[in-house]
């Protein structure tokens, strides 16, 4: 049985990590969050120590490490806001633990280089949650693409609208310096999946970018992709919105619609199973997606030219 510590325990995604730790028959020994709304811990690990101050959490984890205690932390799971991930990963590795970090791993590619040095110095490892790589529909698509003529480029249209209320722009998620902006915070899943399925990234153009919506064109070895992301409910097609739906996901690759709306939730547990079996996704596997979001963030939008997404019209 492995011992886990968790950073960001009061947040939205933390319970999926608690569930994954429990479902893989492991133990949560310590948790940190600056917010103390963490009653959810009782549903999973009521015996875990909880801290609202980093320094006390650090002291506790260090005590367990030095005493070679039965509860010495083997993994630190990181569910904090995006701009804190690299610092929390450094803490994990320097504490003698491996890290399991939420997406996006970091905001910029050069942050990955610093983390590689810490991996070398400590001999510990960073694993990331890239759950779409484990989704059966995406694995099937990857296989289909691998079997296609190697010269063929698929025409892909990716539309992802996941409505958020007014709170979004007033939280860290709406602050580009903390979340990286919409393409980083929400899009990173898809850019990673596109690279995983369609190979090396060759072109990256941005047509439109605002705090609530972004759209552009990406070209990969095996695909030309126009993409549209939004957190604005008004972008949901009328016939879908009139049925009360606040999310719209569509990926079309050639003549095929890829349906991956279901089966998202339990992919954290599958991610943990893979990591514990030594098949986690490491730092380098994140590089292309992080380069993609970093370029999108800094690009000057081109407007309606070239291969823009039809929703921009
Ligand atoms: P959230 O705001 O709900 O939770 C973040 C938590 O971190 C909060 O409880 C906050 O109090 C805590 N926190 C902030 N600063 C801290 C600090 N210095 N030390 C300790 N705790 C601190 O956000 P969320 O939606 O749970 O997102 C957390 C992470 O998970 C983000 O990186 C996000 O991108 C990622 N995420 C991944 C998925 C996925 O499908 N894989 C889905 C949602 C979020």
């Amino acid at each position: 049985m492995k011992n886990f510590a968790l950073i960001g325990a009061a947040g939205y995604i933390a319970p999926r990590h608690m569930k994954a730790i429990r479902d893989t028959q492991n133990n949560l020994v310590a948790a940190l969050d600056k917010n103390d709304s963490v009653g959810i811990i009782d549903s999973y690990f009521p015996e875990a120590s909880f801290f609202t101050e980093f320094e006390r959490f650090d002291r506790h984890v260090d005590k367990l490490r030095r005493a070679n205690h039965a509860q010495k932390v083997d993994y630190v799971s990181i569910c904090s806001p995006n701009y804190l991930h690299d610092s929390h990963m450094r803490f994990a590795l320097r504490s003698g633990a491996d890290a399991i970090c939420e997406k996006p791993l970091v905001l910029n590619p050069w942050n990955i280089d610093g983390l590689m040095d810490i991996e070398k110095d400590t001999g510990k490892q960073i694993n990331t949650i890239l759950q779409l790589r484990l989704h059966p529909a995406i694995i099937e698509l990857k296989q289909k693409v691998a079997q296609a003529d190697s010269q063929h480029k698929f025409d892909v249209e990716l539309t992802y609208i996941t409505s958020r209320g007014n709170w979004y722009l007033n939280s860290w998620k709406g602050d580009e310096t903390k979340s990286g902006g919409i393409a980083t915070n929400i899009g990173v899943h898809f850019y990673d999946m596109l690279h995983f399925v369609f190979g090396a990234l060759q072109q990256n153009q941005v047509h439109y970018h605002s705090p609530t919506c972004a759209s552009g064109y990406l070209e990969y070895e095996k695909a030309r992709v126009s993409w549209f992301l939004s957190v604005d409910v008004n972008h949901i097609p009328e016939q879908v919105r009139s049925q009360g739906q606040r999310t719209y996901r569509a990926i079309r690759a050639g003549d095929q619609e890829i349906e991956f709306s279901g089966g998202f939730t339990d992919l954290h547990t599958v991610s943990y199973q893979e990591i514990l079996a030594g098949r986690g996704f490491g730092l380098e596997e994140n590089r292309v997606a992080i380069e993609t979001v970093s370029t999108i963030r800094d690009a000057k939008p081109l407007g309606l030219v070239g291969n823009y997404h039809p929703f921009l019209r």
Side-chain angles (χ1 to χ4, degrees), residues 12 163-174 185 246:
Y12 162 77
S163 311
R164 297 287 189 271
N166 294 324
W167 65 269
Y168 187 85
L169 290 179
N170 287 322
S171 75
W172 67 266
K173 296 185 182 187
N185 194 44
R246 291 182 53 83

Side-chain angles (χ1 to χ4, degrees), residues 10-13 33 79-82 85 102-103 131 172-173 189:
Y12 162 77
I13 205 68
D33 201 297
C79 306
S80 49
N82 305 346
H85 287 174
E102 265 300 348
K103 56 55 52 175
Q131 81 253 41
W172 67 266
K173 296 185 182 187
H189 279 301

Side-chain angles (χ1 to χ4, degrees), residues 12-39:
Y12 162 77
I13 205 68
R16 296 227 202 129
H17 289 258
M18 293 179 204
K19 180 172 186 299
I21 295 167
R22 189 189 63 190
D23 289 352
T24 52
Q25 280 84 49
N26 292 300
N27 191 21
L28 181 72
V29 297
L32 169 73
D33 201 297
K34 55 188 204 174
N35 185 326
D36 63 7
S37 308
V38 286

Side-chain angles (χ1 to χ4, degrees), residues 74-87:
D74 301 300
Y75 287 92
V76 178
S77 298
I78 298 164
C79 306
S80 49
N82 305 346
Y83 72 111
L84 301 175
H85 287 174
D86 62 327
S87 171

Side-chain angles (χ1 to χ4, degrees), residues 22 43 75 91 139 141 148-149 204 214 246 261 283:
R22 189 189 63 190
S43 304
Y75 287 92
F91 162 77
I139 294 170
L141 176 63
D149 171 357
N204 184 350
R246 291 182 53 83
S261 299
L283 287 175

Side-chain angles (χ1 to χ4, degrees), residues 185-207:
N185 194 44
I186 293 179
V188 71
H189 279 301
F190 299 105
Y191 310 125
D192 178 66
M193 179 271 279
L194 291 166
H195 158 60
F196 176 67
V197 172
F198 297 111
L201 177 63
Q202 297 173 332
Q203 249 197 83
N204 184 350
Q205 294 178 342
V206 177
H207 295 123

Side-chain angles (χ1 to χ4, degrees), residues 106-304:
V106 286
L107 298 185
N108 289 301
W110 50 90
N111 305 135
I112 296 180
D113 302 334
L115 291 168
M116 294 188 91
D117 288 346
I118 306 262
E119 271 194 340
K120 254 187 245 135
D121 290 351
T122 58
K124 294 290 163 188
Q125 243 184 346
I126 290 170
N127 302 280
T128 61
I129 302 287
L130 298 175
Q131 81 253 41
L132 278 184
R133 291 188 181 209
L134 301 171
H135 195 297
I138 302 301
I139 294 170
E140 199 183 305
L141 176 63
K142 185 174 165 68
Q143 283 160 356
K144 185 180 161 190
V145 170
Q147 282 157 12
D149 171 357
S150 63
Q151 300 304 311
H152 182 69
K153 279 208 191 211
F154 288 77
D155 282 308
V156 178
E157 200 177 280
L158 187 154
T159 313
Y160 185 55
I161 305 165
T162 176
S163 311
R164 297 287 189 271
N166 294 324
W167 65 269
Y168 187 85
L169 290 179
N170 287 322
S171 75
W172 67 266
K173 296 185 182 187
D175 178 342
E176 194 179 87
T177 63
K178 296 184 173 175
S179 70
I182 179 173
T184 307
N185 194 44
I186 293 179
V188 71
H189 279 301
F190 299 105
Y191 310 125
D192 178 66
M193 179 271 279
L194 291 166
H195 158 60
F196 176 67
V197 172
F198 297 111
L201 177 63
Q202 297 173 332
Q203 249 197 83
N204 184 350
Q205 294 178 342
V206 177
H207 295 123
Y208 180 79
H209 202 175
S210 79
T212 54
C213 176
S215 185
Y217 171 78
L218 291 161
E219 189 159 335
Y220 294 87
E221 268 174 286
K222 297 188 173 184
R224 288 180 284 261
V225 184
S226 60
W227 59 270
F228 181 93
L229 285 179
S230 173
V231 291
D232 183 346
V233 71
N234 296 310
H235 286 138
I236 297 207
E238 186 51 43
Q239 74 276 17
V240 179
R241 195 157 26 122
S242 63
Q243 290 162 8
Q245 292 215 38
R246 291 182 53 83
T247 297
Y248 177 78
R249 288 192 188 108
I251 299 189
R252 202 159 350 107
D255 53 4
Q256 196 190 349
E257 285 288 337
I258 296 134
E259 175 47 61
F260 63 101
S261 299
F264 236 110
T265 324
D266 275 341
L267 291 176
H268 276 77
T269 296
V270 182
S271 299
Y272 271 63
Q273 285 162 345
E274 292 294 299
I275 290 166
L276 290 159
R279 295 187 296 264
F281 300 117
L283 287 175
E284 265 313 323
E285 271 145 316
N286 285 265
R287 193 176 291 275
V288 172
I290 300 301
E291 282 171 353
T292 308
V293 295
S294 181
T295 304
I296 291 172
R297 194 180 316 127
D298 293 337
K300 189 169 176 308
L302 299 170
L304 299 189

